[in-house]
Amino acid sequence: MTSSDSSIATKPTSDVAGAGPFTGTSNILDGKGSSGASSGSAAGASAPGMFDKDGAIGKQFTTSGALGGTAQAIGGPFDKDGAIGKAFTTDGAIGGAAQNNLGSGK
């Protein structure tokens, strides 16, 4: 192939701008739900943060959530009182840090 070979077609960037798997999606960190409304109620009470123990992500780590519930089912060190599981509670090293820094414990 020579430097003057133009057999390789390239698409101008203006044709592909905005294309891709994330086109039209909202930023999950912007505090808006799927309806685009702000995550607070009309009464002025605010919804819990995503990483709060009651938030969209944080509740998955509770014993009734998808991740925490699976860990409870496995038991042993993954149980909420086990060597690994206790680190993920709101008082544990990992769960406590998330709750205090990213959840409502700020």
Side-chain angles (χ1 to χ4, degrees), residues 4 10 21-22 24 26 46 56 62-63 69 78 80 82 84 90:
S4 63
T10 59
F22 303 111
S26 65
S46 63
T62 65
T63 56
F78 297 105
K80 67 180 180 187
I84 297 170
T90 55

Side-chain angles (χ1 to χ4, degrees), residues 58 72 83 87 97:
Q72 280 298 111

Side-chain angles (χ1 to χ4, degrees), residues 2-105:
T2 65
S3 62
S4 63
D5 187 4
S6 62
S7 64
I8 300 174
T10 59
K11 192 173 240 185
T13 56
S14 61
D15 288 351
V16 293
F22 303 111
T23 302
T25 59
S26 65
N27 184 345
I28 63 170
L29 300 177
D30 67 1
K32 297 180 181 177
S34 60
S35 66
S38 179
S39 64
S41 70
S46 63
M50 288 189 321
F51 292 97
D52 186 77
K53 65 181 170 58
D54 298 319
I57 296 173
K59 70 181 176 184
Q60 301 305 318
F61 289 88
T62 65
T63 56
S64 60
L67 297 169
T70 302
Q72 280 298 111
I74 294 171
F78 297 105
D79 184 86
K80 67 180 180 187
D81 298 319
I84 297 170
K86 68 182 177 183
F88 288 90
T89 66
T90 55
D91 296 325
I94 297 169
Q99 181 70 18
N100 291 334
N101 295 313
L102 301 171
S104 63

